[in-house]
Amino acid sequence: MTTPFDPARQQASTVCLPPGVWATVLDCLCDHFKGISREQWLDRFARGRVLDAQGQAIVAELPYRRGMRLHYFREVANEKVIPVQEEILHIDEHLVVADKPHFLPVTPTGEYVEHTLLRRLIRRLDNPHLVPLHRIDRHTAGLVLFSANPHSRSAYQRLFPERRIDKHYQAIAAALPERAFPLVHRSRLVHGEPFFRMHEVEGADNSETHACVLEKNGELWRYGLSPVTGKTHQLRVHMAALGAGICNDPFYPQLLNEQDDYAKPLKLLAQSLRFEDPLTGEMRYFESRLKLDW
């Protein structure tokens, strides 16, 4: 007997059916998502993984209607297992704080759906309302803050765009004895080629990082990094621009076409978060239990 699928345990993607001349919803979805086979869609319909706007499972033969709003659940066939384990550091009515290991994505993306921090925590805590309040790269380890309550979510979400939260990272990279620390690095970051890599260009600054030296160990130094802005890969690009790409970085300063090597993680850690709680006014401080070794 097939176990009923409970959509409340996962987060659905949403699509509004575009204009066209399809006979059924299935025909439209097959044309719209060419990377997903007709057989995969039929299997999803059969398992109740395509829902209408009210969250009810629909059949593949449902007549097409322009603008129809549907929910579906992303799946990756034979998804690769990521052999790392997250740790939950804090839980309350409003927040969950987790320590994310290297290589684990925060949210479903590309070839990763079930093996993501978000999906793992939803299953562990039995809370389908979890939403990450910020993101860190798949290659980066450390703290990720989640909203656990839709009613208070917006208050915590505003902390990040309004820059009312202090984020501190550690990185291990080549020594920079020719530079004076602490320093501030500002630049304009834009998406480059391939699309997932960022690079610095001329123009008004849109990124800012404060850097200091925490420890020296021969040709390698441990740096303290505090991003004022939150651009994609900001710390990785800025360290490479300073002349000290972070150890084991597969993207910067050069793109390396290598598979994940769990013995050589990126030496970047989201080490601490500090903020005034928008609901209570108390100061909150969270610190990662993970460490960067030399």
Side-chain angles (χ1 to χ4, degrees):
M1 181 177 178
T2 302
T3 301
F5 174 65
D6 183 358
R9 296 294 171 257
Q10 296 190 31
Q11 290 192 335
S13 298
T14 301
V15 61
C16 290
L17 300 188
V21 293
W22 301 282
T24 66
V25 167
L26 173 63
D27 294 333
C28 175
L29 291 174
C30 289
D31 257 8
H32 190 61
F33 297 100
K34 298 186 183 299
I36 303 174
S37 70
R38 191 177 187 88
E39 290 72 23
Q40 286 177 290
W41 278 118
L42 284 169
D43 180 61
R44 291 185 187 185
F45 277 103
R47 290 183 290 117
R49 299 177 79 93
V50 183
L51 315 177
D52 62 17
Q54 288 71 46
Q56 300 300 310
I58 61 175
V59 296
E61 297 78 16
L62 184 70
Y64 158 81
R65 188 177 75 250
R66 175 179 176 176
M68 183 183 296
R69 187 178 182 88
L70 301 179
H71 306 293
Y72 66 96
F73 297 87
R74 295 186 66 247
E75 297 175 323
V76 174
N78 302 315
E79 184 175 350
K80 181 173 63 177
V81 174
I82 302 178
V84 296
Q85 183 61 51
E86 72 283 353
E87 181 181 3
I88 297 173
L89 302 181
H90 172 85
I91 304 176
D92 63 36
E93 178 186 356
H94 304 285
L95 296 175
V96 172
V97 184
D99 241 348
K100 186 189 82 66
H102 292 101
F103 301 105
L104 185 68
V106 173
T107 57
T109 180
E111 60 184 309
Y112 303 102
V113 176
E114 294 305 322
H115 286 281
T116 60
L117 182 60
L118 175 61
R119 286 286 179 87
R120 289 185 179 189
L121 292 180
I122 287 174
R123 291 193 295 269
R124 284 181 63 179
L125 301 177
D126 195 30
N127 183 356
H129 301 298
L130 285 178
V131 171
L133 293 168
H134 64 122
R135 312 288 172 90
I136 61 176
D137 305 336
R138 184 175 78 87
H139 295 101
T140 304
L143 298 181
V144 182
L145 190 65
F146 288 83
S147 164
N149 187 332
H151 302 293
S152 60
R153 181 164 301 147
S154 61
Y156 290 101
Q157 285 175 326
R158 288 195 295 270
L159 292 172
F160 291 88
E162 294 176 2
R163 300 182 183 176
R164 292 188 287 122
I165 187 164
D166 294 325
K167 299 170 288 183
H168 296 285
Y169 290 69
Q170 289 187 8
I172 293 178
L176 291 172
E178 71 281 4
R179 293 189 179 273
F181 287 89
L183 61 75
V184 177
H185 185 81
R186 301 183 182 92
S187 69
R188 183 165 189 81
L189 294 180
V190 299
H191 286 277
E193 291 294 338
F195 70 92
F196 55 82
R197 288 186 82 222
M198 303 293 286
H199 68 286
E200 295 184 329
V201 298
E202 296 294 330
D205 299 336
N206 64 1
S207 62
E208 179 178 334
T209 299
H210 295 210
C212 66
V213 178
L214 300 176
E215 187 179 2
K216 298 181 180 181
N217 184 18
E219 295 182 352
L220 294 177
W221 287 0
R222 186 186 304 272
Y223 296 88
L225 304 175
S226 300
V228 176
T229 52
K231 294 296 182 181
T232 301
H233 297 173
Q234 176 178 317
L235 300 180
R236 298 165 68 174
V237 178
H238 281 184
M239 287 300 295
L242 290 171
I246 298 172
C247 290
N248 302 331
D249 194 332
F251 292 173
Y252 308 98
Q254 295 179 332
L255 179 62
L256 305 177
N257 295 318
E258 298 179 353
Q259 293 185 337
D260 290 345
D261 184 345
Y262 296 105
K264 296 181 178 179
L266 176 71
K267 299 295 184 176
L268 180 61
L269 173 68
Q271 198 265 337
S272 69
L273 293 169
R274 185 191 301 272
F275 59 93
E276 181 181 295
D277 192 292
L279 301 184
T280 66
E282 69 174 308
M283 290 303 300
R284 309 292 295 272
Y285 178 76
F286 301 103
E287 185 170 334
S288 174
R289 294 178 184 169
L290 299 172
K291 303 296 180 184
L292 295 180
D293 59 43
W294 292 102

